[in-house]
Structure formats: structure tokens, C-alpha cells
Amino acid sequence: MTFHSGEIAVQTQAGVREEAQRLCTVLSNTIGSAAQAFLCAQHLAVASTVDANGKVWASLLTGQPGFVQVLNEQTLQVDANFVPGDRLKQNLYDNAQIGLLAIDLTNRRRLRLNGKAEIQAEKKIIVQIQQAFFNCPKYIQIRHVETEVVEATEKPEILTKEALNETNRHWITTADTFFIASFHPESGADASHRGGYPGFVQVANSNKLVFPDYAGNNMFQTLGNLVVNPNAGLLFVDFEYGHTLQLTGKAEVVWDAKRLRTFAGAQRLVEFDIEQVLEIGNASSLRWRFGEYSPAIPR
């Protein structure tokens, strides 16, 4: 497995090109036994998809353990409970590329996969895997899934707009976790995780966010994609009540040393210009209880 030009450019600018190249061995085009055991126990995944206009979206997928099934070492089946208003289903009809992040918040383990998807029957997504690898546990806050599923007594409430309102701004500035989707025209879609103390995502105005990029695994899949294709999607999850906030827009990597000083521990910054906001109330019937912050978060 090799890196594309965007990943190499970021690795080179960060001064970790040789270290990143050695990490190629962790990338696989099959789902190994450890990954198979991990996937079948998960409640939560995030999908990265692309719409007909090239906009990138991050979508929440939740279910009871087993909703992600490994059919063979290169094929997954996701029993997706498509949320009304979410773009996931239509996006996959328009563009088969998908990135998946399966994450266990109880033990800070996460697995990234990408490939091509096909919707079968009403709620099943079949994914042919092109790349799979585990990520480090950095910056993941521990959360415990509640054992009882909340009955869907209320239908999802969908609100689409062009900018953040005050409720959205408060949600973002108090968040300790979000997910980011990116897309490379040749390497495909990717979904990743970002975490920090509340306030690590700053709202510059109703159409712009700024957030830090901390030290990570030095492969730079997300930032490498953004260098080539700035279209990206962000997903904020209200873990306590099951609501989601999805943003799509364009991202730019910032290396300005003076600006970095305003974010503790930042190696780089990302500026995100919001083009569309999709807020869905009651998007998931699962709930999570906060445990503790990651010890890796810079202070």
C-alpha cells in the first residue's frame, strides 16, 4: 500500500516522511481476524460519502452489536437504519465510494475502512474493502453505551440551513468529539475522528470553524485528502440525546506558526468554511454516558 501525492506533501511538510513510509505495513486490503472480532461487537460507525455535486458528508450509523457483519475478508454488510433526511443512501446511489470508521468509545479502539458500497434490499449496505487499518487511541473520550435502547417515540426532526444558528454554535463550542469525512478522487472516501477538551473547535462566524490538528499517526490520510480536494464533511453527535449535526463545506490546512499558538498542542490548524448545515433531532435510538477525557489531549 502506498500514499497518494496529498498525503506525501503533508508528511513532507511535517517532517515525518520516512516515519510515515514505515507505517505502510499497517495498511491492509483485507479484514484480518482482529478486525473481524472488533467489528462484530460495535454499536457505532461513521460513514463518509459524496453527493452528486461533489460535496462530502459524514453520517452516523448505529445499531446493536452485529449490525456490521463481516461476510469474508474483503466484504462487509452494514444493516443500516437510514435516518430520514440524512444524505447517506442517496449519496451511495450517486457515488459508490465509502469510508467507514468503526469506533468503540468504551475502550478507545477504532478501525478505519474504505472501499466501494452497494445498497441491497432496503437497509443493507454491502462494502467491498480496499483498505483497512486500526488507529491509535489518542484523543478519544471514553463513553459508555446505555444498555437500554430508547424507543423511537418521536420521529426524526430535520432542519436544513446555510449557516449555523446560536444553538448550533453552542453545540460545537461545547463538543469534545467530532468526526470528519474527506475524499480523494483516486483513493476514495475516508472517515476519521477528532477529539479535545470542550472549546477545541472554535466558531469564527456562522459559516466558519477553526480546529487544531494534534500529533497523530503521521500518515495524514485526512489532511492529505484535503490538500488535493478541500471538500469535507463534519459530524457532531449529541451522545446524550441522539441528535446529529452535519456540516458540509471546504477545508484548508493552516501552518501559520503564529496562529498555532492560540491552540494548545496544535501542530496545524484546519479552517472549515460551511456551505450547508443539516441538523437531525432523534437521529439515533442509542445513548452514551460520558466517562473520562483522553489523557493525550494537550493542556
Side-chain angles (χ1 to χ4, degrees):
M1 306 292 288
T2 59
F3 296 109
H4 62 65
S5 61
E7 293 165 333
I8 291 172
V10 178
Q11 293 163 6
T12 301
Q13 189 161 355
V16 296
R17 179 75 188 102
E18 291 185 6
E19 182 179 346
Q21 193 60 39
R22 290 194 294 270
L23 292 172
C24 276
T25 56
V26 307
L27 305 176
S28 175
N29 60 1
T30 60
I31 308 167
S33 57
Q36 293 184 31
F38 175 78
L39 286 169
C40 70
Q42 298 316 303
H43 291 88
L44 169 64
V46 174
S48 169
T49 59
V50 184
D51 70 17
N53 297 314
K55 292 182 179 181
V56 179
W57 294 86
S59 298
L60 178 67
L61 295 168
T62 59
Q64 293 303 306
F67 89 102
V68 179
Q69 301 178 49
V70 179
L71 303 184
N72 58 56
E73 65 177 11
Q74 286 194 305
T75 310
L76 289 179
Q77 175 179 291
V78 182
D79 293 329
N81 183 18
F82 293 108
V83 179
D86 185 87
R87 309 299 167 82
L88 175 62
K89 187 175 184 180
Q90 184 58 52
N91 288 358
L92 290 178
Y93 283 130
D94 293 329
N95 188 325
Q97 298 285 351
I98 190 170
L100 287 172
L101 173 71
I103 185 166
D104 190 333
L105 300 176
T106 63
N107 58 24
R108 299 192 171 108
R109 295 186 72 200
R110 52 179 160 169
L111 177 70
R112 284 162 76 167
L113 312 104
N114 61 48
K116 292 187 176 181
E118 179 183 354
I119 297 177
Q120 294 186 349
E122 182 63 25
K123 294 182 179 181
K124 297 185 187 301
I125 303 174
I126 303 298
V127 182
Q128 299 298 324
I129 296 301
Q130 296 171 329
Q131 190 178 80
F133 60 99
F134 280 102
N135 260 170
C136 72
K138 284 183 177 178
Y139 318 121
I140 299 175
Q141 329 308 350
I142 286 181
R143 282 184 162 86
H144 305 282
V145 66
E146 301 290 355
T147 56
E148 294 184 3
V149 176
V150 176
E151 292 297 330
T153 55
E154 297 183 28
K155 294 182 179 180
E157 300 174 0
I158 304 161
L159 181 61
T160 302
K161 45 192 180 290
E162 305 303 317
L164 302 172
N165 60 27
E166 285 303 314
T167 300
N168 302 151
R169 292 166 71 114
H170 177 74
W171 184 340
I172 291 168
T173 55
T174 56
D176 58 49
T177 297
F178 72 92
F179 302 94
I180 182 167
S182 60
F183 178 75
H184 185 276
E186 296 177 0
S187 299
D190 180 76
S192 189
H193 162 279
R194 292 291 186 272
Y197 290 121
F200 83 113
V201 183
Q202 294 186 3
V203 179
N205 57 56
S206 59
N207 284 99
K208 183 186 287 290
L209 306 181
V210 183
F211 54 87
D213 184 64
Y214 299 135
N217 59 22
N218 291 327
M219 290 192 285
F220 294 110
Q221 286 94 340
T222 299
L223 298 194
N225 285 352
L226 298 180
V227 167
V228 175
N229 174 21
N231 291 319
L234 305 186
L235 168 68
F236 292 85
V237 179
D238 184 329
F239 293 100
E240 186 176 358
Y241 294 103
H243 310 321
T244 59
L245 180 66
Q246 295 164 268
L247 313 176
T248 189
K250 289 183 168 58
E252 179 183 2
V253 183
V254 177
W255 299 81
D256 186 336
K258 182 181 291 187
R259 294 188 61 189
L260 293 181
R261 297 190 196 112
T262 62
F263 291 82
Q267 305 289 303
R268 293 144 294 272
L269 302 179
V270 177
E271 286 188 341
F272 184 78
D273 291 313
I274 299 166
E275 296 176 343
Q276 195 168 359
V277 179
L278 175 60
E279 183 178 352
I280 303 179
N282 309 309
S284 173
S285 61
L286 295 184
R287 304 289 184 267
W288 279 262
R289 173 173 44 84
F290 182 82
E292 62 183 37
Y293 290 110
S294 167
I297 301 173
R299 294 182 178 273

